[in-house]
Amino acid sequence: MFKKILNALIDQPVLTSVFVTDFFILLFHRPPFLFSLLMLGSLMAMCMYFGQKLALFKS
């Protein structure tokens, strides 16, 4: 399962770098409220994209 996640992140280097950067900015920095809402929305969209692409627990 871990290897499948790493392979999916390596296959999409631009989305992975945006995802990691967005996550750490929201975690360690306090941007203005509206900008942080926009960043949180984009983070959720990327999470849903990666979740749909991986489908780890597909039966």
Side-chain angles (χ1 to χ4, degrees):
M1 181 169 80
F2 188 68
K3 185 177 180 182
K4 191 173 182 181
I5 293 171
L6 282 179
N7 286 338
L9 292 176
I10 290 172
D11 287 343
Q12 304 284 332
V14 174
L15 282 179
T16 302
S17 63
V18 170
F19 178 80
V20 169
T21 305
D22 192 10
F23 179 73
F24 282 113
I25 286 174
L26 284 174
L27 190 63
F28 295 118
H29 184 64
R30 284 292 205 201
F33 180 73
L34 291 177
F35 187 64
S36 65
L37 228 91
L38 180 69
M39 289 176 70
L40 185 63
S42 67
L43 190 66
M44 289 172 47
M46 285 185 280
C47 285
M48 288 189 283
Y49 171 77
F50 281 129
Q52 183 69 30
K53 185 169 175 66
L54 290 173
L56 291 174
F57 302 108
K58 190 175 182 181
S59 45

